[in-house]
Amino acid sequence: MSVTEIKSFDDFKRIISSGKPVVIDFWATWCGPCRLISPIFEKMAADSKHSGVEFYKVDVDKQEEISREVGIRAMPTFIYFKDGEKKGDLLGANPTGLQTLVSKAAEV
């Protein structure tokens, strides 16, 4: 699976409430650490062992309503949602921490 950009607040609400495990990368174009970890996030999305997880990105500058809703304070922030609820998060470009978060989402 690939990483899909969330382009509206309505899409965000629908996606996180789908019943599927969802991991979202909250990022900004000007954020250096975001650019460094993005290829790692995309590689995880393409890995078949994470096939049950859906991967998304939210540009915090374009989607301020979504960013406010979830309380984004730093980029990158990765959040794992299931059934409309936040189940875990990771602040910063930490590949090991990201792997742990994605693995947790894949266990469901």
Side-chain angles (χ1 to χ4, degrees), residues 16-60:
I16 67 167
S17 298
S18 69
K20 299 174 185 170
V22 173
V23 179
I24 302 175
D25 174 6
F26 292 87
W27 68 288
T29 57
W30 47 264
C31 168
C34 297
R35 289 192 301 272
L36 289 174
I37 199 155
S38 182
I40 295 167
F41 187 65
E42 293 188 19
K43 187 175 180 180
M44 288 179 187
D47 190 328
S48 63
K49 71 181 175 185
H50 305 133
S51 62
V53 179
E54 294 187 352
F55 292 81
Y56 294 91
K57 287 179 120 25
V58 170
D59 183 329
V60 298

Side-chain angles (χ1 to χ4, degrees), residues 77-90:
T77 294
F78 299 89
I79 302 179
Y80 158 39
F81 292 94
K82 178 125 177 29
D83 298 323
E85 293 183 24
K86 179 177 163 182
K87 300 292 187 178
D89 64 4
L90 170 71

